[in-house]
């Protein structure tokens, strides 16, 4: 039996029908055509499907859509105009933070959340904080460097903005 769920997705009110077993990832990809959210393991291990649910990073492959009535969901598409996300994407490009790119949307969502919470994070702490996101290609060196550089760039942007406001 299908259930009607209403949620805000990337700032837009949406209503959709789901089976009790339907994951949020399947709603996003198949009903909303928001295909930046990737599916890797489909059992909560790899982090490729990471989105924000009510502002918190979550695995959309194991979030049952039926439980999300009234929730606010943000995918990578929803952060396209966000300055920190733009900085992070540029850094992944410049620092070779991807090879096949399959893990990249989840890396960007988790990295963005990390930089929001800990803007000064560097080195080994990034490795620990990002350990819930798996990459099969890069050996993580480029990913860690990308997040480090994005943190430094974002900090410079904030201090420039403060300087301009003074
Ligand atoms: S696809 Fe969701 S954690 Fe791997
Ligand atoms: S770049 Fe290929 S899985 Fe991470």
């Amino acid at each position: 039996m299908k259930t009607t769920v209403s949620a805000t997705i990337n700032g837009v009110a949406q209503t959709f029908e789901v089976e009790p077993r339907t994951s949020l990832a399947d709603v996003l990809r198949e009903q909303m055509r928001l295909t930046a959210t990737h599916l890797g393991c489909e059992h909560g291990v790899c982090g490729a499907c990471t989105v924000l649910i009510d502002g918190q990073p979550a695995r959309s492959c194991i979030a049952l859509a039926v439980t999300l009535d009234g929730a606010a969901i943000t995918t990578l598409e929803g952060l396209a105009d966000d300055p920190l996300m733009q900085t992070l994407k540029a850094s992944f490009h410049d620092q070779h933070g991807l090879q096949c790119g399959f893990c990249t949307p989840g890396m960007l969502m988790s990295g963005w959340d990390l930089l929001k919470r800990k803007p000064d994070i560097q080195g080994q702490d990034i490795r620990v904080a990002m350990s819930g996101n798996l990459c099969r290609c890069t050996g993580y060196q480029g990913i860690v460097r990308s997040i480090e550089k994005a943190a430094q760039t974002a900090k410079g942007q904030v201090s420039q903005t403060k300087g301009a406001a003074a």
Side-chain angles (χ1 to χ4, degrees):
M1 192 181 80
K2 290 199 173 183
T3 302
T4 303
V5 175
S6 296
T8 304
I9 301 179
N10 295 335
V12 178
Q14 302 278 9
T15 298
F16 42 89
E17 302 274 309
V18 290
E19 300 281 355
R21 66 176 183 277
T22 307
S23 72
L24 172 59
D26 285 345
V27 171
L28 293 172
R29 289 182 56 84
E30 291 171 15
Q31 296 193 39
M32 303 294 152
R33 297 292 174 198
L34 293 168
T35 53
T37 301
H38 286 178
L39 280 169
C41 66
E42 294 191 66
H43 59 268
V45 175
C46 73
C49 65
T50 303
V51 299
L52 303 177
I53 300 177
D54 293 331
Q56 301 295 320
R59 316 286 211 205
S60 60
C61 71
I62 53 170
L64 291 175
V66 76
T67 67
L68 296 171
D69 197 50
I73 294 145
T74 306
T75 69
L76 186 58
E77 290 95 336
L79 293 176
D81 295 329
D82 177 85
L84 179 59
M85 184 56 87
Q86 289 176 349
T87 298
L88 192 55
K89 283 181 183 173
S91 196
F92 266 70
H93 180 264
D94 294 345
Q95 301 298 323
H96 308 290
L98 63 143
Q99 286 180 32
C100 79
F102 199 85
C103 68
T104 308
M107 292 289 178
L108 290 170
M109 293 302 285
S110 296
W112 182 88
D113 171 71
L114 179 60
L115 292 178
K116 280 274 180 194
R117 289 184 292 107
K118 298 187 173 180
D120 295 321
I121 197 161
Q122 293 286 289
Q124 183 62 22
D125 291 341
I126 294 176
R127 286 184 179 270
V128 173
M130 293 294 293
S131 60
N133 287 74
L134 305 183
C135 175
R136 294 174 61 163
C137 302
T138 69
Y140 301 99
Q141 202 68 31
I143 292 168
V144 172
R145 203 170 52 232
S146 300
I147 295 172
E148 265 179 352
K149 293 284 178 192
Q152 290 160 9
T153 306
K155 214 169 173 182
Q157 288 166 340
V158 169
S159 57
Q160 268 180 14
T161 310
K162 279 185 182 158

